[in-house]
Structures are given as C-alpha cells and as structure tokens.
C-alpha cells in the first residue's frame, strides 16, 4: 500500500513503477525508511500527506524526499525546542478534549 498525498496509489501504478526493481536490503531499509507506528507518528504522517497534497492540488513541482525531510525536520525542531509544549501549556483547553482520564495521564 502506498499513498501520494491523501490518495491511495492504485496497485497497477505501483506495479508499473516498481516491477523488476530490487527490494531494499535490511540495511537500506533501516537507513531510508522510518516506521510510523505510534500516535506521534500519526501526526507526522498527516502533515506529510497534507504537504504533498498541497503541492499536488496546485500543480507545484516538488522533490518528495525534500518535502519529507523538511516536514520531519520541522517537527523535530519544534519538539526538541519545547516551543509547542509551551504553547499547549498556555492554552490546554484549545489543544485537549475534555476526557475523564486525561488528568491522570498528564
């Protein structure tokens, strides 16, 4: 399964693109692919998909690798700097839905 922006890439297109090409070795896979398997990764996926869709909707040429690197770099920079954490702490009602268990988790 592959996605381009918010649209699933049809299997025939994937087969045309990748048939006959070699699979990535485990070392290459580790170097080039990032697992997206937790809640934090969900936000990364959505932002990447929205960014790609923005370019596609406006027929703006872009380099997919650069788009992914820029999105991930921005998220990492914001996360490490603590900027977003401070903003959320200033206005928690804006960022959290009221749930009975939330206070205990935080």
């Amino acid at each position: 399964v592959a996605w381009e922006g918010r649209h699933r890439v049809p299997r025939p297109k994937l087969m045309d693109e990748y048939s006959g090409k070699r699979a990535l070795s485990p070392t290459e896979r580790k170097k080039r692919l990032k697992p997206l398997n937790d809640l934090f990764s969900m936000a990364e996926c959505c932002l990447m998909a929205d960014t790609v869709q923005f370019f596609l909707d406006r027929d703006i040429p872009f380099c997919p690798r650069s788009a992914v690197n820029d999105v991930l770099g921005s998220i990492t920079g914001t996360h490490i700097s603590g900027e977003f954490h401070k903003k959320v702490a200033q206005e928690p009602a804006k960022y959290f839905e009221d749930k009975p268990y939330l206070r205990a988790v935080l």
Side-chain angles (χ1 to χ4, degrees):
V1 176
W3 296 82
E4 185 175 41
R6 290 287 178 175
H7 301 283
R8 188 175 181 163
V9 178
R11 185 162 177 77
K13 185 176 178 182
L14 284 174
M15 296 308 291
D16 285 345
E17 181 69 29
Y18 295 104
S19 282
K21 295 186 179 174
R22 65 181 177 80
L24 295 175
S25 70
T27 303
E28 286 178 288
R29 210 174 14 253
K30 199 175 218 177
K31 186 172 114 179
R32 294 180 52 192
L33 302 178
K34 179 184 187 314
L36 300 170
N37 55 2
D38 59 22
L39 286 176
F40 187 74
S41 297
M42 181 66 75
E44 291 176 316
C45 285
C46 290
L47 186 54
M48 281 187 262
D50 288 343
T51 301
V52 169
Q53 195 64 53
F54 176 88
F55 292 137
L56 294 173
D57 289 347
R58 290 158 182 79
D59 292 320
I60 299 171
F62 68 100
C63 171
R65 181 176 290 182
S66 294
V68 168
N69 288 341
D70 289 349
V71 167
L72 292 178
S74 296
I75 290 171
T76 300
T78 302
H79 187 72
I80 290 173
S81 73
E83 288 175 45
F84 187 69
H85 297 283
K86 290 175 192 165
K87 189 169 184 74
V88 170
Q90 290 170 352
E91 296 181 84
K94 182 177 180 178
Y95 298 97
F96 294 108
E97 293 179 13
D98 192 22
K99 302 286 183 193
Y101 57 83
L102 186 59
R103 191 173 303 273
V105 172
L106 296 176

